[in-house]
Amino acid sequence: ELANVCRKAAKIMISEKKHSITVTPLTLPRYLGSKKYRFEMANENDEVGIARGLAWTNSGGDTLSIEVNVMPGSGKIELTGQLGDVMKESAKAAISYIRSKASMLGIREDFYKTLDIHIHVPEGAVPKDGPSAGITMATAVISALSGYSVRHNVAMTGEITLRGRVLPIGGLKEKALAAYRAGITTVVIPEENKRDLEEIPKNVKERIEFIAMNHMERVLEIALTNQKQPMFELPIPGTEIKNDYSAGSYTAEVTQPQ
């Protein structure tokens, strides 16, 4: 790209008879055209069911938005966004952990029988895989089921086990740079990755607070707010549901069976 700038600058100097040209961020599109790459920025508000993960790619780090919707159903789990096998296993491990801790998390213990869960990672045309999104998936699902929103300025990376332990990941430097670029101010990392903080540039560490955790319970203390915004009230077991989607959102009329 630098060569393109030099060639176009030379052409302009000759055609417009200029002795010198100064290239600034404002004039750069004249030489390189419109932006070719788009970086996802941090959410503006705390939201229920949306958590921000961090990913390593061949071209560096990137942020990963994970969205979760819960709907009345029979316990189906839908995974979309062109996820690889390892990422799908992370989602299943997260669900198993949540089931085992449902009471402690303030979630209905029968959610796996009465609700359908849809986990989606946007930009479906891009394949995604790896275990480091485990705690992000778990946070997004817990947020959707409990109604507590996720802090918009928090991103996280780490593998989750069935017992909720947070395992180390790779590519922390690239992930930290992606968080810095996206405007994230707090990054949750595995405890065993604390030694990798030495590789993070000083200017990044000055803007981002890195918090090392070894268990999912500690991650939730940082990631979730105290504001509860339930997507809907779960009906009492044994009742019938009459769905009404005419208003553009889910509402239900609950009646006792005859």
Side-chain angles (χ1 to χ4, degrees):
E1 297 297 347
L2 288 176
N4 287 335
V5 172
C6 293
R7 283 193 293 268
K8 292 181 180 179
K11 180 179 179 181
I12 292 173
M13 289 175 65
I14 294 173
S15 62
E16 299 182 8
K17 298 181 179 180
K18 292 185 177 181
H19 296 290
S20 65
I21 285 181
T22 301
V23 180
T24 68
L26 293 177
T27 62
L28 192 59
R30 181 181 182 185
Y31 303 94
L32 295 180
S34 59
K35 290 184 179 180
K36 297 180 181 178
Y37 303 99
R38 181 182 62 85
F39 301 109
E40 192 171 4
M41 301 300 293
N43 296 337
E44 295 182 0
N45 303 304
D46 302 336
E47 296 186 56
V48 174
I50 300 180
R52 180 77 57 179
L54 298 170
W56 180 92
T57 68
N58 292 328
S59 57
D62 200 0
T63 61
L64 203 64
S65 177
I66 294 180
E67 302 178 353
V68 175
N69 265 356
V70 292
M71 302 143 285
S74 56
K76 296 178 182 177
I77 298 176
E78 189 78 20
L79 301 169
T80 57
Q82 202 172 161
L83 309 183
D85 290 339
V86 177
M87 208 165 180
K88 291 178 180 178
E89 290 179 357
S90 293
K92 294 176 181 178
I95 296 294
S96 293
Y97 166 75
I98 295 168
R99 284 184 60 182
S100 69
K101 299 289 184 179
S103 178
M104 183 197 73
L105 295 171
I107 297 171
R108 285 278 294 270
E109 295 186 11
D110 61 348
F111 77 87
Y112 65 94
K113 295 187 292 185
T114 56
L115 293 177
D116 289 345
I117 300 175
H118 188 162
I119 302 175
H120 178 67
V121 184
E123 299 186 17
V126 181
K128 310 167 190 73
D129 205 2
S132 64
I135 65 172
T136 314
M137 287 185 170
T139 299
V141 173
I142 291 170
S143 171
L145 290 172
S146 67
Y148 288 102
S149 55
V150 182
R151 300 184 192 279
H152 69 280
N153 61 332
V154 174
M156 61 198 76
T157 179
E159 182 177 357
I160 188 174
T161 71
L162 291 177
R163 300 300 177 90
R165 290 187 298 120
V166 179
L167 301 185
I169 46 82
L172 181 60
K173 179 180 179 180
E174 290 79 6
K175 293 176 180 180
L177 292 173
Y180 176 84
R181 184 178 60 221
I184 299 295
T185 59
T186 302
V187 172
V188 178
I189 64 173
E191 183 78 31
E192 294 185 37
N193 283 109
K194 286 177 65 176
R195 61 180 181 272
D196 298 327
L197 291 176
E198 299 177 359
E199 303 176 4
I200 308 300
K202 183 179 178 180
N203 64 316
V204 175
K205 288 192 286 188
E206 288 176 350
R207 182 179 295 184
I208 296 178
E209 179 184 9
F210 291 90
I211 303 177
M213 299 294 183
N214 58 11
H215 200 275
M216 191 64 212
E217 293 177 18
R218 299 283 312 281
V219 174
L220 295 175
E221 292 175 4
I222 301 298
L224 298 183
T225 70
N226 294 324
Q227 300 175 354
K228 193 169 186 178
Q229 305 168 7
M231 291 185 173
F232 57 83
E233 295 294 332
L234 193 61
I236 300 172
T239 59
E240 295 179 353
I241 303 174
K242 294 181 180 180
N243 296 329
D244 179 13
Y245 295 97
S246 59
S249 59
Y250 174 82
T251 59
E253 178 186 349
V254 181
T255 57
Q256 294 289 344
Q258 300 297 326

